[in-house]
Amino acid sequence: MPRARLATRFRTATRFRTAARFRTAAVAAAALLLPGLNPSAAAAAPSAPVPRLAWQSCAPGFECATAAVPLDHRDPRGRTVDLAVIRRPATDRAHRIGTLFYNPGGPGIPGTMALPAVYPALPEQVRARFDVVSFDPRGVGRSTTLPCFPDQAAEQRLLDRLPQGFPEGAEQQSAWASAYADFARQCAANDRDGLRAHLSTADVARDLDLLRQAVGDRRLSYLGTSYGSYLGATYANLFPQRVRAMVLDSAVDPAAWSTGRTPQDRDLAPFLRTGSDRAAARTLDAFLDRCGGAGPQACAFAAGDGPATRAKFTRLLDRLGHGPVALGDAAVGRAAALTAAQRLLYAVAPVPGVDGTGWPGLGAYLQQLWTAPDAPSAAPTGGDLRQAQTLGVLCADTDNPPAGADYPALAALAEARAGATGPYWLWQTQRCATWPASPDRYTGPWDRPTSAPILVVALTGDPVWPYEGSRALADTLARGRLLTVDGYGHTVLGNPSACAAGYEERYLIGGRLPERGAVCAPDRQPFAS
């Protein structure tokens, strides 16, 4: 179907969204009454008790605690939820500055698991001068979570109805929509404490401000990667005078993500509004070009040069489109392969000690699929467990086309503009079609003057949040500064640059920003030995 007809078809199918837009306007109006959004209202509102953190040893070198915070920040002395918190004390106690809070993003990644893994990658002087603290946001990990299912087996039975990766074809698309509508009903039916209405990033930002007070810091020092940048941008605009220093690494454009920047954006799903589909396509093309140029010794999937390798990839997808292949005990189809490939684009270099990672790992994976025998013709099924920990935040923060919208037409539009990986990004947030946005969410403004400038760091070849989104955030923030890393991968923390780390260290410790227009190189280029 021509692209123009796809767009017309989709606009016609979504005209009935007027009622949903009135609901969104009401949500935005109600949000103005929440503490932190309106300075005069915040001053008059009762304050929540500051959590008491009883630190105890947990992972080697780390300490853990539990913080009680309000379920509903509009009722600050009402029912509470628990947050799991982790800390690594500053190594130079005599010159300690304070606490650096870290959020790994996701949404849905537990900070208590992420911090021990990434701590060695932080600049040495940052580790010396700061206690580094992370936490599992409400609804995630060991914090209070949404009880959608009585046990994992019940959740797995529902998810077994799903195709791997994302749906292809009318039958799979219908099954996907039906399964996630049931998923949303399960979560609503079992949420007796009302947590589902209080899982937005704005709720988490208010929790973060209480944690800042709990550790005794007058202002917040913060590092957020990926979706953690959305938490940082939200905090900076809810509490603009409480920012000491903030690094937002591989950032989402918050206006595009939450509501869209134009009226036409409202008919698109969030990842299409941010351009994640196009960013993934550009990075995949770069991978195939670099793989072909590196040759089969460095990239197993190489086929002579870049164009030949791209042609080989097209033939692989054509084969997988006719039926799955057998990879070990698994049957891998086209959508599952594209989903795995998308995730393996995140890191250019292999993760030390972890086989099959980085761009070389992606080359090896694609070559395994290329040589694999055909699997039985039955479509592979299954979905990731604990999706409520992602969907609780993902759906709370965003305007999404409703369940009655023409999602197949949107998927076709995504494929027309971004190639084979495009539909992956559409179906990730179709899961939110029957899940209401949070009444507590924050939708702007995003340009409130902050007490300190904010540093946005971004890779030019990011396959998730495109570089343009980080640039838009830096331009939108009242006091933003962009530091560019000219390389590939998702997050500079995961694709290190000594140059960028030096800038971040000087900024976090002494408040010194990079010069305008500063550009760094990554430490590793794709397929470098």
Side-chain angles (χ1 to χ4, degrees):
M1 184 181 296
R3 180 174 174 178
R5 289 179 59 196
L6 287 171
T8 301
R9 179 183 170 193
F10 183 67
R11 283 195 299 271
T12 300
T14 56
R15 284 175 182 166
F16 65 89
R17 294 190 64 204
T18 303
R21 290 175 184 168
F22 277 119
R23 182 184 65 225
T24 300
V27 166
L32 293 174
L33 303 177
L34 294 179
L37 291 179
N38 184 315
S40 60
S47 59
V50 176
R52 298 191 176 202
L53 301 175
W55 297 106
Q56 296 181 331
S57 297
C58 49
F62 291 84
E63 300 168 334
C64 293
T66 300
V69 297
L71 167 68
D72 183 350
H73 282 274
R74 293 170 295 188
D75 183 15
R77 295 184 178 273
R79 185 177 296 171
T80 62
V81 294
D82 289 338
L83 304 180
V85 188
I86 189 169
R87 174 176 74 174
R88 181 69 176 255
T91 58
D92 184 355
R93 306 300 295 174
H95 298 95
R96 177 183 174 274
I97 294 172
T99 297
L100 175 68
F101 284 90
Y102 164 68
N103 181 275
I109 298 177
T112 57
M113 295 178 60
L115 181 58
V118 307
Y119 180 80
L122 299 177
E124 180 180 359
Q125 283 302 305
V126 170
R127 289 178 280 148
R129 305 290 297 278
F130 290 94
D131 296 341
V132 184
V133 170
S134 192
F135 63 102
D136 297 354
R138 54 175 61 209
V140 173
R142 293 200 292 269
S143 294
T144 300
T145 55
L146 193 61
C148 294
F149 298 89
D151 51 44
Q152 287 189 9
E155 182 178 2
Q156 187 64 65
R157 284 194 294 274
L158 187 149
L159 295 176
D160 280 344
R161 294 157 51 186
L162 296 169
Q164 287 184 349
F166 58 88
E168 295 188 295
E171 184 177 349
Q172 288 189 7
Q173 290 169 349
S174 176
W176 177 281
S178 173
Y180 279 110
D182 288 347
F183 195 108
R185 282 191 287 270
Q186 281 280 112
C187 293
N190 291 299
D191 181 25
R192 296 180 179 86
D193 294 329
L195 178 61
R196 191 172 71 142
H198 303 290
L199 289 173
S200 72
T201 294
D203 289 307
V204 178
R206 297 181 182 100
D207 295 342
L208 177 57
D209 196 58
L210 289 175
L211 293 176
R212 173 195 61 78
Q213 297 172 63
V215 300
D217 282 7
R218 188 170 66 90
R219 289 179 175 168
L220 179 75
S221 300
Y222 178 81
L223 167 62
T225 57
S226 190
Y227 203 78
S229 68
Y230 193 70
L231 173 58
T234 302
Y235 183 97
N237 284 279
L238 289 178
F239 306 104
Q241 297 309 305
R242 301 178 195 173
V243 175
R244 178 195 166 273
M246 185 173 284
V247 176
L248 305 181
D249 179 351
S250 300
V252 57
D253 176 349
W257 175 251
S258 59
T259 61
R261 286 187 173 269
T262 68
Q264 292 78 17
D265 283 348
R266 298 297 181 96
D267 288 339
L268 293 176
F271 282 116
L272 273 59
R273 294 197 297 257
T274 61
S276 297
D277 55 331
R278 289 175 166 138
R282 289 196 300 264
T283 309
L284 179 59
D285 281 346
F287 161 79
L288 293 169
D289 283 340
R290 298 292 185 99
C291 175
Q297 289 188 333
C299 181
F301 193 66
D305 59 9
T309 303
R310 289 200 303 274
K312 180 179 177 181
F313 182 71
T314 299
R315 292 196 299 274
L316 173 62
L317 294 184
D318 287 344
R319 179 192 175 194
L320 294 173
H322 287 91
V325 298
L327 203 61
D329 295 331
V332 180
R334 182 176 181 271
L338 286 166
T339 300
Q342 168 64 40
R343 293 171 180 172
L344 285 168
L345 289 172
Y346 284 25
V348 166
V351 177
V354 183
D355 293 337
T357 54
W359 284 21
L362 174 54
Y365 173 72
L366 294 177
Q367 184 63 19
Q368 287 177 320
L369 295 176
W370 180 259
T371 59
D374 291 342
S377 59
T381 60
D384 296 333
L385 282 167
R386 299 186 181 88
Q387 292 196 40
Q389 298 193 19
T390 297
L391 295 181
V393 181
L394 194 71
C395 304
D397 281 342
T398 53
D399 282 349
N400 288 280
D406 194 340
Y407 274 93
L410 264 182
L413 183 63
E415 185 155 11
R417 76 183 205 174
T421 60
Y424 165 87
W425 295 100
L426 181 278
W427 293 105
Q428 296 314 297
T429 53
Q430 192 284 333
R431 299 179 295 172
C432 298
T434 56
W435 195 297
S438 170
D440 295 345
R441 73 179 182 141
Y442 183 74
T443 58
W446 300 101
D447 59 353
R448 289 186 166 162
T450 49
S451 51
I454 295 172
L455 178 59
V456 180
V457 185
L459 288 145
T460 54
D462 192 312
V464 181
W465 300 125
Y467 175 75
E468 294 84 354
S470 288
R471 187 170 57 200
L473 174 60
D475 290 343
T476 301
L477 292 168
R479 302 182 67 188
R481 179 67 57 85
L482 178 64
L483 173 62
T484 299
V485 178
D486 188 13
Y488 295 99
H490 183 50
T491 81
V492 177
L493 189 63
N495 296 274
S497 163
C499 166
Y503 278 122
E504 292 180 23
E505 182 179 281
R506 290 187 290 275
Y507 165 73
L508 287 169
I509 291 173
R512 293 170 52 196
L513 285 171
E515 62 275 15
R516 293 188 183 278
V519 178
C520 286
D523 293 346
R524 291 281 300 273
Q525 295 293 336
F527 303 111
S529 57

